[in-house]
Amino acid sequence: MDTTIYDLMSSSDTKVNEFKTACDNLLNSQYILADVKITALLEAIAVSKTIYDLFDEILVDFDYKETAKNFMSNSFKLPEEPKAIACLVFCMLLDMDKKIIDLNDFLLMVQKGDINVAYEMFLEKIISPFKTSISYLLSMKQNRNYQEQAIVKEANKEEQQNYNFEKKLNVFLARIHSDSNLDAVEKGEILALGNALLIAQEQNNEQQFQRVYAKLFKKVRLYKPALLPEFENLI
């Protein structure tokens, strides 16, 4: 089976660095090599799953036609938002690579006269902000991922703590239930409060939890003081 672009894609940071290198190669290129460098830049995007996924995300609601129209009517000034810059320039580069947009004609519209001067302006005013915008968006996405991972980690930690508490409390209540030195009334009071404490924990009702815990603490101290250290170790 022939190798496809999907076989070449990677989430490795190396591919992101290769994209940045491709940007630098384009920024340092001469007009005569523009087509080759643009193609190389687009290929670097295609094989980086990180950057490919970024564009897959930001292009969803992007209006290329309207943004391009504003770009043209605003003396070829890029949008202010990094997301819009990245999307617009990416779509333009794709059209240049497919020859939908003729680079030479485009440059002469941007800057009439010397094509090499126009190309330098193209690199400075369009390609450089494109690279900067991608770097910024990748950084923001990475920070978002870190925050989401931290939230998940904290949630898992809290879930584990709840599980450990419920497990220890159930063991404690089982000991109360099997304690022959406690009469039925004493057991009933402790077990009822124990169940109420579990419910408060499950409902994440901190105020109710504290109220029930205080009552249960008093009952354990009154009826079974020997188990007080074990009870206090529940939380």
Side-chain angles (χ1 to χ4, degrees), residues 19 23 26-27 38 41-42 45 55 58-59 62 64 67-68 71 76-79 81-97 101 106 122-134:
F19 160 76
C23 285
L26 177 57
L27 287 168
I38 288 174
L41 175 56
L42 292 172
I45 292 173
F55 277 110
I58 65 178
L59 285 168
F62 177 65
Y64 179 31
T67 307
F71 170 70
F76 302 98
K77 183 180 179 181
L78 289 174
E81 295 183 359
K83 177 180 174 180
I85 293 173
C87 290
L88 175 61
V89 178
F90 175 67
C91 292
M92 287 168 52
L93 291 176
L94 281 176
D95 281 350
M96 289 175 184
D97 191 55
I101 295 176
F106 177 80
F122 166 72
L123 296 177
E124 178 187 352
K125 302 295 185 181
I126 296 177
I127 300 303
S128 182
F130 174 69
K131 178 190 175 185
T132 302
S133 296
I134 296 300

Side-chain angles (χ1 to χ4, degrees), residues 63-82:
D63 190 335
Y64 179 31
K65 183 176 180 179
E66 186 64 25
T67 307
K69 181 180 177 181
N70 292 335
F71 170 70
M72 298 286 287
S73 62
N74 198 26
S75 302
F76 302 98
K77 183 180 179 181
L78 289 174
E80 294 184 0
E81 295 183 359

Side-chain angles (χ1 to χ4, degrees), residues 115 177 183 235:
I115 194 69
H177 187 269
D183 62 35
I235 58 176

